[in-house]
Amino acid sequence: MLSLAMIFLASLFFTGIVIRTKSLVSGRKGPGIFQPLKDVVRLFKKGAVFSQTTSFIFQVAPSIYFASVVMAILVVPVGQSKGLISFDGDFVFFAYILALGKFFSIISALDTGSSFEGMGASREALFSMLAEPAFFITMGSFALLTGHTSFHAIFTALHFGSYVSYALGTLATFVLIMIAMIENSRMPIDDPKTHLELTMIHEVMILDNSGFDLGLILYATNLKFAMYGAIIANFFISNLPLALAVPLFFAVQFFFAVIAGLLESFAARFRMAHNAEFIYTLTSFSLLIFFGVLLLMGKFI
Amino acid sequence: MLDNLKILFRQGKQYIPDVRTAAVPGIFRGRPEILPARVNEAELTALCPTGAIGAAPVRIDLGKCLFCGECAFVFPDKIRFTTDYNMATNERQRLVVAEGAEMPVRLNPDLIRKEISDYFSGSLKLRQVSAGGDNSCEMELNACGNVNFDMGRYGIEFVASPRHADGLVITGPITKNMAEPLQICYEAIPDPKIIILAGTDAISGGIFEGSPALDRRFLDRYPVDLYVPGNPVHPLTFINGVLELIRKRAKQ
Amino acid sequence: MPFHTWLPHAHPAAPSHVSGIMSGVLIKIGIYGILRMILLIKTDYVTAGYIILFAAVISGIYGVMLAILQHNLKTLLAYHSIENIGIIGIGIGLGTIGIGAHNPMLAALGFAGGMLHVLNHSLFKSLLFFSAGNVYQATHTLNIEKMGGLIKKMPHTASLFLLAALAICGLPPFNGFVSEFLIYSGLYQGLGNQSPVPLFAIIASLFGLVLIGGLALLCFTKAFGIVFLGTPRRVFVPAPVEASWGKLVPMYATLALIMGIGLFPGVFLQALSAPVAAFTAKIPGAPQVSAIPENASRLVANIGWCAAGFIALAGLVFFIRQKATGRKPASVSGTWGCGYVGDASRMQYSAGSFIRSYRKLAEPLFSIHKKKRPVEGIFPVDGWQETHPYDALEEWLIDRPLRKLKHFMGKFQFLQNGNPQFYVLYGIVFITLVILVPLVVDNMYALLDFLNQL
Amino acid sequence: MDNLIIKNHETVPLASIPVLEYDKFLAQNTVLLAEERRHCVQYYGFLQSGMVQLLCCIADDMHGTILVSSALVGKKQILPSFTAHRPAFHKFEREIHENFGIAYADHPWLKPVRYPFDRARPQNDIANYPFFQIGSEELHEVGVGPIHAGVIEPGHFRFVCNGEQILHLEIQLGFQHRGVERLFLAKQHLLQRTVLAESIAGDTVAGHSVAFANLWESLCGFRAGAGLQFARTLALELERIAVHTGDLSALCTDVAYQLGSAVFGRLRTPLINYFQIWCGNRFAKGLIRAGGSHFPFNESLAEQLLEMLDAFEPDFDAMCEETFTLPTVLARFEKTGVVTHDQAVAIGTVGMAARVSGLNRDIRASHPHDFYPVLQHQPIIKHHGDVYSRAQLRRREIKQSIGYIRHLLKHMPLDSATPEPLGQPAPESLTLSLTEGWRGEICHCAVTGVRGELVHYKVKDPSFHNWLALALAVRNNEISDFPVCNKSFDLSYCGHDL
């Protein structure tokens, strides 16, 4: 319950911090950190326009997408406090429920019958498919290391001791940040700020959504970001007492947001065809983590 | 990385601290003033390339004015352009600056629809449609979002899809070939929505007024929420106009 | 795999209900055979398990990778059968390793997952084939590039196809997830256990299973999206109509089963207890009371709850949305096409385009026959593009050997010259050979014996 | 060869232009284009006593001359086309076809250009443009525009795509058509016409207004003084620097490189604000007037300009250095959107788009006007024709232009530039005015009647030639690279649609 509340809290300002960071390093003042929230509130109040091409899929998909993200958040623990749902192998459930949301966002994009949305859907389907193994192997490696298979158990049993484990922790943080960037369609895979139909992935899938549905999708994106932030935070706060863990959680979220902002400021987006290669690289990093864990456990004979 | 930091340091803070009071460099031609001197009014009205100057009393319609300044050069003691860039209003009549009735061009608060501040104060997404025109207004609207004017800090942004937008910004005199796309775009914006006319071309047709290649019937069908004069509109005129429109007002 | 090549040819040829049964029962005979063999023989189970696992992972990935490329709806589904057999095989392979490694938990999870997936697959695959049949009857084509927008004409078929597609992708809250989850649990069990299970095999299977899941998602978003969503890509005469209730009712019944397993997996898992016990019994010292370990059934119960919870949550969100949007203006207009006023019917993603980036990545593995005339010149006059995905294994293992065989046999054509006398001669030669060969062999043996005695 | 040979900004009597048989007209002009040094700057028709007089102007870059010839044809005639021999003529013939209904027997691409309100075939509607299609069901089409994602002008791009790959792009324009050429005739006052010239393309205000002012002065027999010429040259070069800087910013935006986008964007602001300091408008509207100027250049303006450039250069250099060495940026720029030399020659690109493909086309060097003869301009040539070359060319041209401005400021003429009344335009004459704007050559062309009134006014923006180059450049590229290709050309819609 605590984790749910904290992730929701973090989601309120997470994207705002990313945008603020980007604004500051470009010499802007930029909108306040609650601007994304204001946008969502405005959308919740507004009416909608639906295309006559679309079917009921288009109407239900945003709700299912949102629900899937919330459901996934329920699984994520924060520090010592378990997620609302926690069982062995819950990260399989986590990944699959997110995949369900993605399935619906993809078909809702195809429902519009527009080639832009089709383009976005095609990209999203491919890249998220490619990114999945990296997540599973990273989590699998930690499952191997700790002997547990639920988020909460893995993180609480995780303790860093040797140099190798520090290296692994860094690597895993990197992989998770990158997965978070891919899943949220941010740089260097996708650039949500370009506002050009032809170059975007996620943004172009929701070109036709409006009003409440669009608000749901945008807020789900904020939640998703904060959720990955929470997973990353767990690396650092899993064994700390609550009084220390809570501020540290927000500190990690803050840093993650700043890093995301900086990452988006100082490099150009990849060429679309290079994205697949980049994601492969990520998978090999996760394999590196796996071998590291083997090394750590002395299974390399 | 060091180079980046150096560039960043040189970049520093570029934004204009307060767009409401910022001064425009150089000889900006903003809201004109009509001085009490006596001149040949027929000559004066004939001078204007768009017929924006009317006689008896001398008046200038900012919705038609190209801000070329010719009248002020020929009749410097009759017409003077000030640097006041606050020229946006929501009432077409208020764009006419007449001799003797000198006052800043402001919005008419009675005409602002109530839902505008309810919905959009603090967050407004706009969809711009370029309907003819010469691209200078578009460049100035783009400039609104650059590091200097930084319109994004007020939560006002231009978006790609009209579905995501709350308002339509029209630039250009609305050509025949763009009339239908403009209509489609307007219909694609969810309610409630606003219409902003940016630039003299959009407000009256400007130098293109009367061209047979135009079709301005769109403007007869829907009410306009904001007129932003200028050729092209200055970013400060636009930002201040929109901020004034969506500002939260105390309940009367 | 690689004994699969008949399947993708058989399915499109068969009527849909037969396809349904075929995928439900016929292809499972092989699985049944494997299971029987495991029960009968007493062997090095670990090695056998790895062999099964290896074959299963390969066929799973290979099946789905090929499935994505298909433009024929039923061929696509047929390749998915291969994929699902792969998933089942991973379960059985794990179970077998579990037996060999004396790990009752692993064995139980593996076999339970595998066998549950057998049931699941027959359910959702039948449903998919039935839906495909409805589509075929309405449109008289199976080429998905020609379809589009069918959801408006056939909402029931579309919904059923969608739900079955979600199930086959192994997404919660449907039955596919339950069995895949069991297998995942088995894999992580294999990871976590200190038993001598080579981790590489496990990680490879994990990788394979995840990849299968992701690829299935790509495949079914494509299939569902292109067939049912968007605008029609061509006008069908007569216009497609929804299938009759006589067809839909059994389909809904199948759906009920799918949902049932998804929501109450515990019940079905208990039903699997006896057959699984038959396998776990092979582990010396395994508890005989219940084949399904306590925590395993608790796990699946959890999944059931989560599934139900998710449905409730999604329902709640949707309810709030309906409430919130009920009073607001919602108008209908065309899809935003940048304000273009002309005909936009060709401006829609095609299946070929949807998967092209993937195809580019997968191309080295398959033989894809491309026909294209590139667009050339400043003012092009012509251009064409067509791809025909072809199963490389089929080509290498079956087509080419067959061609070689035919070629080889062709060399003996001179024998068949149509002259009756020759045929009589062949008869005589044959008889002579029949008599002579044993004679010679006998004599040889006699000779050898004799030599030996010396 | 039967031509009238004229110079840039020369007014000649209409009667001196040879009127040829169409066949000879065709043979002569297509042969002229066989050499790379010649290109067609203007080919159009105007009504002459019920017939259509076709006027073809071929520029010879080596000799700095323009070869003019003409032919008289009937309105509904069917003719053999120039395009069948030289694709560079395709747009001109399409325009003639659209305006007068003249049909071409062997034109491979006879499609509408801009849907003018008075087109010969009103049934050709903007909704029924005959796009090139490929019947293959595996391919899809993507239609972008007229209302684009960004705040830019309208135009429709139709891609035939195979997944992410562009097989073919066709560009449909005309949405901005507002009747500029007709308004030149309808509006009688010089000021109105000047304002019209300023409204042709907002990003090339200096270019078009200089072209108009030079044309009008030549037509009225007025010789601009050194001060005026100086101011015009300065305005052209300043505009080049400002727009190029803005384009570098936009290129960075399109590859999502925020730092470059923000810094170049910031660097552009003082440049265009300088125009405001000079003339009260950020786009130099009102600066250039035929016969004089309200805003004579002076010492204090020169000082401010130097100050501004001194502040601009180091930051610009640092940012360029960073941008053009950043691997992620280079990966997006290099080998993207290539136009080969052969393609560039065949379709007759001009200006920047030509110079990146190794084609030396620069009016400043070949047909110099104002202060350019003094500057001895040497065009910068690149050879790869990709986005990277176009970005690099901008960088080098900015540096070159800054050098020119510094040079000009050292030799500032100080004569009065206050407006003087102009004489009457010469009757029955033709004037052709070529100006190198930042994008490429701008051509204005006026024909006067018996009383010196305008009977035809023709404007050609460089975009008119170069749109096809964009279409060819993106073939077989990724569709997600289209925006950056498009921006690297930065062609004008309004300058094309008129």
Side-chain angles (χ1 to χ4, degrees):
Chain A
M1 217 45 222
L2 179 72
S3 67
L4 182 70
M6 279 168 65
I7 292 170
F8 260 91
L9 209 59
S11 75
L12 298 183
F13 56 80
F14 191 92
T15 321
I17 293 177
V18 176
I19 294 171
R20 198 56 189 261
T21 310
K22 288 181 73 174
S23 297
L24 287 178
V25 296
S26 65
R28 281 186 177 83
K29 188 176 178 205
I33 56 170
F34 292 111
Q35 188 60 43
L37 200 67
K38 282 188 196 165
D39 294 346
V40 170
V41 170
R42 173 183 53 88
L43 286 169
F44 280 155
K45 288 195 281 188
K46 272 197 74 165
V49 178
F50 295 103
S51 157
Q52 65 247 22
T53 314
T54 56
S55 61
F56 68 92
I57 300 279
F58 190 74
Q59 311 244 350
V60 299
S63 305
I64 296 181
Y65 178 65
F66 185 81
S68 78
V69 174
V70 174
M71 199 70 190
I73 287 172
L74 292 180
V75 179
V76 177
V78 168
Q80 302 280 19
S81 135
K82 276 188 188 182
L84 208 58
I85 301 170
S86 178
F87 52 85
D88 283 349
D90 55 6
F91 65 85
V92 177
F93 180 75
F94 169 85
Y96 271 69
I97 201 82
L98 283 179
L100 178 79
K102 206 167 291 158
F103 192 104
F104 270 93
S105 70
I106 291 168
I107 60 172
S108 111
L110 288 171
D111 199 12
T112 60
S114 147
S115 43
F116 300 131
E117 271 97 329
M119 203 172 348
S122 155
R123 290 169 185 168
E124 173 102 349
L126 181 70
F127 295 144
S128 60
M129 180 275 283
L130 291 175
E132 211 104 292
F135 176 75
F136 271 86
I137 292 174
T138 309
M139 291 313 292
S141 311
F142 286 115
L144 174 65
L145 183 65
T146 58
H148 295 284
T149 53
S150 83
F151 266 130
H152 177 250
I154 288 175
F155 285 126
T156 42
L158 207 58
H159 44 80
F160 297 105
S162 65
Y163 291 116
V164 181
S165 68
Y166 285 126
L168 287 185
T170 319
L171 212 55
T173 315
F174 171 75
V175 169
L176 281 176
I177 288 179
M178 281 306 160
I179 290 175
M181 297 300 254
I182 296 168
E183 294 282 321
N184 287 298
S185 300
R186 305 292 298 205
M187 290 270 289
I189 298 297
D190 185 14
D191 172 41
K193 282 305 277 184
T194 315
H195 286 319
L196 295 170
E197 296 104 338
L198 301 177
T199 63
M200 299 184 294
I201 301 175
H202 183 72
E203 195 91 334
V204 80
M205 286 171 63
I206 55 170
L207 268 188
D208 233 52
N209 288 89
S210 54
F212 197 89
D213 288 346
L214 182 64
L216 274 182
I217 296 171
L218 291 184
Y219 193 59
T221 310
N222 291 355
L223 277 176
K224 222 171 165 181
F225 235 138
M227 174 181 78
Y228 279 102
I231 295 178
I232 293 164
N234 275 321
F235 275 105
F236 304 99
I237 62 167
S238 51
N239 286 309
L240 299 174
L242 211 61
L244 215 60
V246 173
L248 203 58
F249 170 84
F250 288 108
V252 171
Q253 289 274 13
F254 178 78
F255 270 112
F256 176 40
V258 171
I259 287 173
L262 292 178
L263 208 66
E264 296 191 359
S265 298
F266 291 115
R269 186 177 69 71
F270 289 153
R271 204 173 261 204
M272 206 52 88
H274 289 183
N275 281 349
E277 290 159 28
F278 173 69
I279 301 173
Y280 286 154
T281 320
L282 220 53
T283 311
S284 34
F285 271 130
S286 69
L287 281 173
L288 218 57
I289 297 177
F290 176 69
F291 289 130
V293 167
L294 288 187
L295 198 68
L296 215 57
M297 296 179 72
K299 292 223 175 179
F300 266 137
I301 306 152
Chain B
M1 199 62 222
L2 270 176
D3 292 339
N4 273 336
L5 288 179
K6 204 173 125 201
I7 291 167
L8 269 188
F9 177 72
R10 300 277 304 181
Q11 179 84 345
K13 284 181 189 169
Q14 282 294 332
Y15 57 89
I16 297 168
D18 187 355
V19 292
R20 286 183 183 83
T21 56
V24 185
I27 40 171
F28 179 69
R29 284 188 291 276
R31 176 175 57 83
E33 273 178 342
I34 299 169
L35 307 172
R38 299 209 42 86
V39 291
N40 181 344
E41 292 192 358
E43 214 174 285
L44 178 61
T45 49
L47 194 64
C48 183
T50 52
I53 303 175
V58 174
R59 55 187 189 275
I60 300 181
D61 183 354
L62 295 185
K64 287 183 171 182
C65 178
L66 292 176
F67 299 90
C68 63
E70 194 73 19
C71 46
F73 285 113
V74 181
F75 300 97
D77 41 2
K78 183 68 188 169
I79 291 171
R80 201 178 71 200
F81 282 88
T82 67
T83 55
D84 177 16
Y85 48 76
N86 270 316
M87 293 186 287
T89 180
N90 55 347
E91 195 181 358
R92 183 68 178 85
Q93 277 312 310
R94 291 195 174 203
L95 284 177
V96 180
V97 179
E99 185 176 2
E102 303 284 320
M103 58 179 236
V105 181
R106 291 288 179 270
L107 272 77
N108 182 352
D110 303 334
L111 287 178
I112 300 175
R113 284 182 284 144
K114 191 184 157 295
E115 66 245 39
I116 290 178
S117 71
D118 282 359
Y119 283 83
F120 305 134
S121 69
S123 168
L124 178 71
K125 306 280 174 206
L126 296 169
R127 172 64 256 192
Q128 181 268 354
V129 174
S130 173
D134 66 351
N135 197 27
S136 53
C137 265
E138 287 81 349
M139 287 194 289
E140 287 295 48
L141 292 180
N142 272 325
C144 290
N146 72 10
V147 285
N148 304 97
F149 297 103
D150 189 19
M151 187 169 67
R153 67 182 123 160
Y154 305 106
I156 308 166
E157 271 184 332
F158 289 102
V159 291
S161 168
R163 293 276 203 275
H164 301 187
D166 311 310
L168 191 60
V169 181
I170 303 171
T171 58
I174 312 184
T175 59
K176 266 192 182 139
N177 295 338
M178 272 308 284
E180 208 179 331
L182 180 65
Q183 180 69 33
I184 293 174
C185 185
Y186 181 76
E187 281 165 12
I189 299 175
D191 284 322
K193 50 191 164 190
I194 60 177
I195 295 180
I196 299 174
L197 297 183
T200 299
D201 287 352
I203 297 173
S204 67
I207 189 72
F208 305 110
E209 193 180 357
S211 166
L214 303 185
D215 177 1
R216 294 174 57 79
R217 283 174 298 171
F218 177 84
L219 296 176
D220 305 335
R221 288 195 284 269
Y222 305 104
V224 175
D225 292 287
L226 193 65
Y227 298 92
V228 191
N231 177 42
V233 293
H234 194 276
L236 288 174
T237 315
F238 184 80
I239 297 174
N240 279 303
V242 175
L243 280 179
E244 196 56 29
L245 177 70
I246 62 174
R247 184 166 65 92
K248 269 222 187 307
R249 289 180 167 74
K251 293 225 163 62
Q252 280 122 1
Chain C
M1 277 276 294
F3 311 108
H4 65 279
T5 52
W6 60 277
L7 193 63
H9 297 291
H11 272 302
S16 294
H17 50 280
V18 178
S19 299
I21 293 172
M22 227 157 76
S23 69
V25 180
L26 198 59
I27 61 171
K28 306 294 161 48
I29 292 172
I31 297 294
Y32 182 72
I34 293 171
L35 289 174
R36 265 340 267 199
M37 284 301 286
I38 293 168
L39 274 185
L40 285 175
I41 55 174
K42 197 165 169 57
T43 173
D44 179 2
Y45 284 112
V46 177
T47 315
Y50 284 130
I51 292 168
I52 298 173
L53 203 59
F54 179 73
V57 171
I58 298 289
S59 53
I61 297 178
Y62 194 76
V64 69
M65 284 182 84
L66 260 174
I68 296 173
L69 298 173
Q70 304 307 319
H71 307 310
N72 181 309
L73 187 55
K74 279 182 140 187
T75 317
L76 182 149
L77 293 177
Y79 276 111
H80 267 287
S81 293
I82 298 167
E83 169 227 315
N84 275 287
I85 295 294
I87 296 176
I88 294 167
I90 293 175
I92 294 174
L94 275 180
T96 317
I97 296 171
I99 298 176
H102 301 301
N103 183 340
M105 185 70 180
L106 185 58
L109 285 172
F111 281 115
M115 284 196 268
L116 190 60
H117 203 75
V118 170
L119 174 65
N120 290 341
H121 175 243
S122 49
L123 290 174
F124 51 63
K125 190 44 83 55
S126 313
L127 192 50
L128 284 171
F129 270 120
F130 292 154
S131 312
N134 287 353
V135 169
Y136 181 70
Q137 287 195 338
T139 61
H140 302 283
T141 178
L142 282 171
N143 185 349
I144 60 176
E145 298 278 25
K146 293 188 167 66
M147 302 175 189
L150 288 177
I151 194 165
K152 298 211 190 48
K153 301 280 168 45
M154 318 174 68
H156 291 285
T157 305
S159 315
L160 288 164
F161 188 93
L162 171 64
L163 295 172
L166 290 170
I168 199 173
C169 290
L171 296 173
F174 299 94
N175 60 354
F177 179 68
V178 178
S179 41
E180 284 196 26
F181 183 80
L182 284 173
I183 298 171
Y184 271 115
S185 301
L187 283 171
Y188 285 116
Q189 187 69 29
L191 267 183
N193 210 288
Q194 299 299 323
S195 58
V197 177
L199 290 157
F200 292 107
I202 298 289
I203 208 84
S205 321
L206 184 66
F207 187 82
L209 201 55
V210 174
L211 209 57
I212 291 171
L215 289 166
L217 196 91
L218 179 62
C219 186
F220 276 97
T221 46
K222 165 196 147 179
F224 181 73
I226 304 294
V227 173
F228 291 104
L229 302 177
T231 48
R233 285 173 180 76
R234 77 174 45 181
V235 182
F236 289 108
V237 184
V241 285
E242 181 60 277
S244 63
W245 277 104
K247 284 180 192 149
L248 289 175
V249 167
M251 288 167 73
Y252 273 108
T254 319
L255 177 68
L257 273 173
I258 290 176
M259 297 299 293
I261 299 179
L263 292 177
F264 310 105
V267 181
F268 291 85
L269 199 63
Q270 286 311 318
L272 283 175
S273 180
V276 173
F279 292 96
T280 48
K282 293 209 138 208
I283 303 169
Q288 299 294 320
V289 218
S290 167
I292 309 289
E294 190 61 26
N295 40 359
S297 37
R298 217 176 40 240
L299 260 185
V300 290
N302 267 332
I303 294 172
W305 281 115
C306 290
F310 174 72
I311 292 174
L313 183 65
L316 180 72
V317 174
F318 190 64
F319 177 74
I320 294 172
R321 172 201 183 264
Q322 292 298 81
K323 272 276 168 216
T325 54
R327 284 168 285 110
K328 294 205 186 69
S331 53
V332 173
S333 78
T335 298
W336 176 240
C338 293
Y340 186 63
V341 288
D343 171 49
S345 62
R346 281 189 59 81
M347 280 188 251
Q348 186 174 204
Y349 240 57
S350 65
S353 286
F354 188 79
I355 52 129
R356 180 177 179 270
S357 303
Y358 159 79
R359 202 189 73 215
K360 282 274 156 207
L361 297 175
E363 220 158 34
L365 293 176
F366 304 107
S367 54
I368 292 167
H369 300 189
K370 276 190 224 169
K371 274 186 210 161
K372 67 174 175 188
R373 285 195 299 276
V375 178
E376 275 167 348
I378 293 167
F379 306 115
V381 286
D382 194 12
W384 189 255
Q385 174 97 20
E386 218 174 59
T387 56
H388 296 281
Y390 200 68
D391 189 341
L393 278 181
E394 186 172 340
E395 182 166 325
W396 282 96
L397 297 180
I398 297 178
D399 289 359
R400 290 205 182 176
L402 267 182
R403 264 208 305 280
K404 290 266 157 59
L405 193 67
K406 271 187 191 154
H407 188 68
F408 178 70
M409 290 305 193
K411 296 207 165 141
F412 298 97
Q413 239 169 14
F414 70 94
L415 293 175
Q416 194 169 3
N417 49 19
N419 193 333
Q421 283 94 330
F422 272 91
Y423 293 133
V424 175
L425 180 67
Y426 296 156
I428 294 169
V429 170
F430 181 71
I431 293 169
T432 322
L433 279 176
V434 165
I435 297 168
L436 273 183
V437 170
L439 265 177
V440 171
V441 172
D442 272 1
N443 285 327
M444 289 268 285
Y445 275 113
L447 194 69
L448 281 174
D449 278 348
F450 175 72
L451 285 174
N452 272 345
Q453 274 163 18
L454 277 177
Chain D
M1 289 289 156
D2 208 354
N3 292 310
L4 176 69
I5 298 175
I6 60 171
K7 290 273 185 189
N8 192 7
H9 301 128
E10 192 178 336
T11 302
V12 289
L14 264 185
S16 64
I17 301 167
V19 180
L20 312 174
E21 286 293 311
Y22 184 78
D23 290 340
K24 187 158 182 247
F25 182 57
L26 184 151
Q28 174 180 313
N29 285 307
T30 47
V31 165
L32 277 178
L33 239 60
E35 279 183 69
E36 204 180 296
R37 68 188 159 104
R38 295 199 199 96
H39 71 285
C40 179
V41 290
Q42 196 62 280
Y43 175 35
Y44 67 101
F46 57 93
L47 286 178
Q48 188 81 302
S49 55
M51 300 277 278
V52 179
Q53 180 158 14
L54 298 175
L55 194 70
C56 185
C57 312
I58 308 276
D60 187 321
D61 291 347
M62 191 190 273
H63 302 109
T65 53
I66 301 153
L67 315 171
V68 186
S69 57
S70 76
L72 266 176
V73 294
K75 258 190 173 183
K76 302 275 169 191
Q77 225 167 314
I78 298 175
L79 301 170
S81 76
F82 285 24
T83 313
H85 309 276
R86 305 274 171 233
F89 284 108
H90 85 106
K91 219 27 167 319
F92 295 109
E93 289 192 323
R94 283 165 62 182
E95 192 185 11
I96 292 166
H97 166 71
E98 187 173 43
N99 288 344
F100 303 107
I102 292 171
Y104 289 101
D106 51 356
H107 194 296
W109 212 246
L110 204 56
K111 303 184 180 192
V113 178
R114 59 169 75 97
Y115 300 94
F117 63 93
D118 52 353
R119 54 186 176 268
R121 293 157 203 257
Q123 72 271 23
N124 278 353
D125 190 36
I126 206 141
N128 62 17
Y129 185 90
F131 284 105
F132 172 74
Q133 288 192 332
I134 302 181
S136 175
E137 62 195 13
E138 282 179 30
L139 306 177
H140 72 278
E141 290 180 7
V142 181
V144 187
I147 300 171
H148 297 276
V151 181
I152 52 169
E153 299 175 80
H156 184 77
F157 300 96
R158 181 69 65 90
F159 301 90
V160 180
C161 286
N162 179 18
E164 298 279 336
Q165 183 196 21
I166 300 169
L167 295 181
H168 182 254
L169 163 64
E170 193 160 354
I171 301 164
Q172 179 194 17
L173 296 167
F175 295 94
Q176 292 275 70
H177 171 69
R178 54 213 185 276
V180 171
E181 287 178 357
R182 290 311 164 94
L183 285 173
F184 265 106
L185 311 187
K187 307 276 180 188
Q188 298 296 325
H189 292 292
L190 174 58
L191 181 61
Q192 288 179 320
R193 287 173 178 159
T194 311
V195 167
L196 262 179
E198 284 174 346
S199 303
I200 290 169
D203 51 14
T204 327
V205 172
H208 277 286
S209 52
V210 166
F212 174 78
N214 281 337
L215 177 138
W216 201 258
E217 286 172 356
S218 161
L219 204 56
C220 299
F222 177 88
R223 177 106 187 93
L228 271 185
Q229 294 195 353
F230 171 83
R232 286 174 193 174
T233 313
L234 199 63
L236 284 172
E237 292 305 318
L238 260 176
E239 184 171 78
R240 187 182 320 276
I241 300 171
V243 179
H244 279 355
T245 311
D247 280 347
L248 286 175
S249 165
L251 281 172
C252 290
T253 311
D254 281 354
V255 297
Y257 177 44
Q258 196 197 244
L259 187 69
S261 156
V263 174
F264 283 128
R266 180 262 295 185
L267 287 171
R268 169 181 173 263
T269 307
L271 291 169
I272 61 172
N273 274 347
Y274 182 77
F275 273 128
Q276 180 153 297
I277 292 167
W278 187 1
C279 74
N281 187 295
R282 306 219 304 163
F283 296 93
K285 285 186 178 179
L287 176 62
I288 290 152
R289 294 278 181 265
S293 168
H294 292 305
F295 307 99
F297 202 74
N298 56 34
E299 289 288 354
S300 108
L301 277 171
E303 226 165 79
Q304 289 183 58
L305 181 55
L306 278 176
E307 215 170 89
M308 197 255 308
L309 289 178
D310 287 341
F312 173 87
E313 260 191 297
D315 286 4
F316 177 77
D317 289 341
M319 193 60 235
C320 276
E321 193 51 43
E322 180 66 26
T323 308
F324 289 106
T325 52
L326 193 69
T328 46
V329 171
L330 293 184
R332 295 295 304 280
F333 281 3
E334 281 176 340
K335 301 197 179 91
T336 307
V338 177
V339 180
T340 63
H341 180 77
D342 292 346
Q343 283 174 329
V345 174
I347 63 176
T349 55
V350 297
M352 258 181 49
R355 294 199 288 274
V356 292
S357 299
L359 187 56
N360 187 346
R361 271 190 195 150
D362 196 326
I363 297 300
R364 289 179 289 174
S366 60
H367 301 77
H369 51 89
D370 295 313
F371 260 57
Y372 288 114
V374 183
L375 288 172
Q376 294 282 328
H377 173 64
Q378 286 297 320
I380 295 161
I381 307 288
K382 298 262 164 198
H383 296 277
H384 297 288
D386 54 358
V387 173
Y388 180 73
S389 305
R390 286 186 279 274
Q392 273 285 5
L393 187 78
R394 285 188 165 89
R395 177 192 183 177
R396 299 257 325 264
E397 286 200 345
I398 288 171
K399 296 295 285 180
Q400 192 185 36
S401 293
I402 291 177
Y404 288 161
I405 289 178
R406 287 186 192 281
H407 177 83
L408 283 173
L409 289 178
K410 278 194 198 118
H411 308 90
M412 202 166 79
L414 289 167
D415 60 340
S416 143
T418 40
E420 288 174 39
L422 291 170
Q424 278 301 305
E428 299 211 287
S429 301
L430 167 88
T431 308
L432 190 121
S433 157
L434 289 173
T435 303
E436 184 77 12
W438 63 268
R439 190 182 277 127
E441 77 180 29
I442 293 161
C443 178
H444 283 217
C445 202
V447 177
T448 53
V450 272
R451 290 181 311 280
E453 82 282 10
L454 274 182
V455 281
H456 199 85
Y457 196 83
K458 189 88 197 84
V459 177
K460 190 214 64 189
D461 191 82
S463 315
F464 193 75
H465 296 274
N466 291 350
W467 274 112
L468 185 61
L470 171 63
L472 294 180
V474 299
R475 245 185 234 176
N476 295 322
N477 277 254
E478 281 179 38
I479 194 165
S480 57
D481 280 337
F482 171 73
V484 66
C485 290
N486 186 16
K487 200 69 216 178
S488 73
F489 283 95
D490 194 18
L491 299 174
S492 176
Y493 303 73
C494 50
H496 175 278
D497 294 346
L498 298 172

